Amino acid sequence: MILSFAWACQAPDKTPINLEELTISEIHHAYQNGNFSAEDLTKAYLDRIEALDSSLNSISITNSEALAIAKKLDEEFKKAGKLRPLHGIPLIVKDNINTTGLPTTAGALALADFYPEEDAFIIKKLVESGAIIIGKSNMAEWAFSPMHSESSTQGTIRNPYNLDHVPAGSSGGTGASIASNFGVIGLGTDTGNSIRGPSSHNALVGFRTTLGLVSREGIVPLYLRNDVVGPMCRTVEDATKVLEAIAGFDPKDPITNFSKGKIPENYSQFLQKEGLKGTRIGVFRTLSEVNPDPEITALFNQSLKDMQALGAVIIDSVEVENFDSLRRNQWCPVFRQDLEKFLADYVKRDTMKTLEDVIRVGTKSDYAREGLERFRESDLPENMAENCGDPFTDPERIAFREAIEKVMDSLMLDALVYPSWNSKPARIDRFQEEYSGDNSQIIAPHTGQPAFTVPMGFTSGNLPAGLQFLGRMWSEPVLIRLVYSYEQGTLHRKAPNLTD
């Protein structure tokens, strides 16, 4: 059954808006045809959240100003006759990204009443493009968990495809809410997995872009040296339009200096249905063959056949020299340093300056409590500047990336592919015991390379699975071409049934 919501004071000749799987292009077409307004659409999404989110717990708070913002955008369109790139598009923002007028809690009691003074850089860009923030999404507290999404502020999030299972972490609220058609576009953050994992578990498209392409200013960090923020959407086209709005240099995030001269005029030009034709795709069985669930293996092998049918040359398989040794010792526990800088720059409270202050306030989550204690006791290496650097200056990160790109160059590969997870989403009541197969943690967070996930089908239990494409640095145009072609050639995405 499809749920549709009518708007207040509905005109007799208008039909209710069918929210299921609406895209940016379809919405803009409807605005131009006068089928419904941004205010109508925003009201419909807010009604849907109110009616259906109680079973998922994916939304932390809705925006009481959303309808007023939508009304102003309608008036602007009526006067100017022109739509901004994301004009009137309802957006769900992960609750670790600064938004004025709404709390930014990172799911933690220590920030439960923190209201930022201004929007994060990327939020400013999205609002300028016409997006309407309709709510903040629940998340794994402090973004600690790739396994599940549980916060002290809102509790545990459930997977809309099967409520007994996790939506992955830490952007589980964005994943569950966008999958459930509670908004059109969503934002997640990814330190090791947290855009791609929840996207894979919720049949979404998730872009972890090249580290340095998108600003992280105004975002509660986990490990800033790894952190990326990016789109989580139902289609590649919508994710691409979000990327167009947020990519670019920000003086407050120095790593974005590296993006200068590497951003095309637009990314939408790479949305090509025949984008796989003539490409060379490397199969990275070093990851895909690590204790995989047989159903995931079957879906992955079918994806290779599908890509071949769509015109790609499949190189099966590819090996990276010294991969096991290069991947070791890449993590660096810089949470304390990054968090305390965020507290000083944004929260600005004498009672909330240190990790110890956070621990003093406490948490309702055993998992978060254990994580905070680990970070309190962890020591950073003495040569932190060298061993905890960014992927452009840290020798170990550079060596890892160069080994991968050397193989890609020698075989003339456009991308490497592997399942985003080798296992099905875990059951919520056994999330630690059943956590396995998370391939997103292993390469891109450390090398800085872009890695996109796209739906590749469903396993038993109606549980989604994702296919991941890893590209060279700054190869977003190539990856967009590949994932769009695969998406359009397979059309695996389907909405969950929330009414059964």
Side-chain angles (χ1 to χ4, degrees):
M1 177 182 173
I2 295 172
L3 279 185
S4 301
F5 293 91
W7 48 88
C9 304
Q10 181 183 309
D13 59 339
K14 287 189 176 181
T15 56
I17 305 174
N18 179 3
L19 297 181
E20 191 161 293
E21 306 298 281
L22 270 180
T23 66
I24 295 169
S25 294
E26 289 168 346
I27 290 165
H28 280 178
H29 187 67
Y31 289 167
Q32 289 164 334
N33 287 347
N35 296 340
F36 52 79
S37 67
E39 188 177 5
D40 299 332
L41 184 68
T42 300
K43 177 66 163 59
Y45 276 113
L46 290 170
D47 286 348
R48 183 174 174 88
I49 291 169
E50 185 177 1
L52 297 176
D53 191 46
S54 60
S55 64
L56 303 179
N57 205 26
S58 68
I59 300 294
S60 297
I61 191 170
T62 54
N63 185 2
S64 61
E65 297 298 313
L67 289 173
I69 294 166
K71 188 175 182 180
K72 286 182 181 177
L73 286 165
D74 286 334
E75 290 168 355
E76 176 189 311
F77 177 51
K78 188 176 180 180
K79 186 176 180 180
K82 197 168 152 185
L83 293 171
R84 304 190 212 179
L86 298 176
H87 198 107
I89 300 300
L91 163 69
I92 293 172
V93 178
K94 187 177 179 181
D95 199 11
N96 61 347
I97 304 172
N98 282 353
T99 49
T100 53
L102 293 169
T104 296
T105 75
L109 299 178
L111 297 180
D113 59 351
F114 168 54
Y115 284 74
E117 294 175 357
E118 61 178 319
D119 288 335
F121 178 83
I122 61 162
I123 297 299
K124 291 176 183 174
K125 301 263 280 183
L126 288 163
V127 169
E128 286 168 7
S129 294
I132 301 168
I133 301 170
I134 61 167
K136 302 289 286 283
S137 58
N138 192 10
M139 59 179 283
E141 190 164 337
W142 297 114
F144 282 171
S145 178
M147 309 178 195
H148 73 316
S149 291
E150 176 193 11
S151 69
S152 287
T153 51
Q154 298 296 321
T156 299
I157 306 163
R158 295 182 177 274
N159 190 311
Y161 290 92
N162 189 323
L163 298 179
D164 293 331
H165 292 256
V166 299
S170 62
S171 309
T174 302
S177 62
I178 295 299
S180 302
N181 292 280
F182 292 168
V184 183
I185 55 178
L187 287 178
T189 60
D190 188 316
T191 305
N193 151 87
S194 298
I195 287 172
R196 293 158 295 150
S199 293
S200 175
H201 278 17
N202 290 277
L204 297 178
V205 173
F207 286 4
R208 181 187 167 100
T209 55
T210 303
L211 189 50
L213 184 65
V214 178
S215 169
R216 293 87 44 84
E217 185 277 327
I219 298 174
V220 183
L222 177 49
Y223 299 163
L224 194 60
R225 69 191 296 270
N226 292 67
D227 291 347
V228 165
V229 58
M232 296 171 64
C233 298
R234 290 184 295 271
T235 69
V236 174
E237 182 177 340
D238 283 357
T240 299
K241 289 179 177 179
V242 173
L243 178 59
E244 285 181 338
I246 61 177
F249 171 69
D250 173 15
K252 290 186 178 179
D253 187 359
I255 203 169
T256 59
N257 268 308
F258 292 99
S259 72
K260 289 179 177 177
K262 298 181 176 70
I263 300 174
E265 185 178 340
N266 69 75
Y267 286 105
S268 293
Q269 63 185 298
F270 305 108
L271 295 167
Q272 300 166 13
K273 283 190 177 181
E274 296 189 351
L276 278 163
K277 190 172 285 187
T279 61
R280 293 173 61 84
I281 304 298
V283 182
F284 199 52
R285 295 200 182 273
T286 302
L287 295 186
S288 68
E289 298 306 306
V290 180
N291 299 318
D293 183 291
E295 292 185 67
I296 301 290
T297 296
L299 290 176
F300 180 56
N301 288 335
Q302 183 59 50
S303 78
L304 302 178
K305 294 177 184 176
D306 292 336
M307 284 187 280
Q308 189 170 33
L310 290 165
V313 176
I314 305 299
I315 312 301
D316 191 356
S317 69
V318 175
E319 293 186 7
V320 174
E321 190 175 357
N322 299 321
F323 182 81
D324 284 340
S325 60
L326 287 166
R327 64 179 283 189
R328 289 188 199 130
N329 303 317
Q330 290 285 346
W331 292 105
C332 201
V334 291
F335 175 68
R336 174 192 285 275
Q337 289 72 19
D338 291 343
L339 173 66
E340 291 180 355
K341 185 174 189 310
F342 180 90
L343 295 175
D345 290 348
Y346 299 101
V347 181
K348 304 175 186 175
R349 294 177 186 168
D350 290 339
T351 56
M352 189 53 59
K353 288 184 172 181
T354 66
L355 177 59
E356 283 71 24
D357 290 332
V358 169
I359 292 171
R360 171 179 48 79
V361 171
T363 173
K364 297 178 183 177
S365 164
D366 291 338
Y367 186 90
R369 184 179 298 107
E370 291 168 6
L372 290 167
E373 284 298 328
R374 279 197 303 273
F375 286 120
R376 186 175 66 84
E377 296 166 2
S378 65
D379 294 321
L380 288 170
E382 290 181 12
N383 52 346
M384 177 180 168
E386 180 179 335
N387 284 355
C388 292
D390 64 52
F392 304 98
T393 58
D394 185 319
E396 290 189 5
R397 300 180 79 171
I398 293 169
F400 192 12
R401 179 175 67 251
E402 285 181 344
I404 292 167
E405 292 192 342
K406 179 182 176 182
V407 171
M408 293 179 71
D409 290 344
S410 69
L411 296 174
M412 296 181 290
L413 300 179
D414 294 280
L416 292 175
V417 294
Y418 43 88
S420 295
W421 288 69
N422 287 345
S423 56
K424 300 174 188 176
R427 289 170 290 179
I428 287 173
D429 60 0
R430 296 182 64 81
F431 73 88
Q432 287 178 293
E433 299 96 316
E434 295 181 357
Y435 173 69
S436 65
D438 177 0
N439 289 325
S440 295
Q441 306 271 1
I442 297 167
I443 302 175
H446 313 300
T447 63
Q449 292 168 263
F452 294 1
T453 187
V454 65
M456 72 170 181
F458 291 78
T459 62
S460 57
N462 195 37
L463 294 166
L467 174 66
Q468 193 156 157
F469 290 73
L470 177 79
R472 295 174 179 80
M473 298 291 276
W474 315 109
S475 68
E476 282 76 12
V478 174
L479 292 186
I480 288 168
R481 201 159 38 83
L482 301 179
V483 297
Y484 182 72
S485 180
Y486 176 76
E487 172 200 54
Q488 294 297 302
T490 57
L491 298 176
H492 287 303
R493 162 75 195 170
K494 66 179 180 182
N497 188 340
L498 300 179
T499 60
D500 282 350

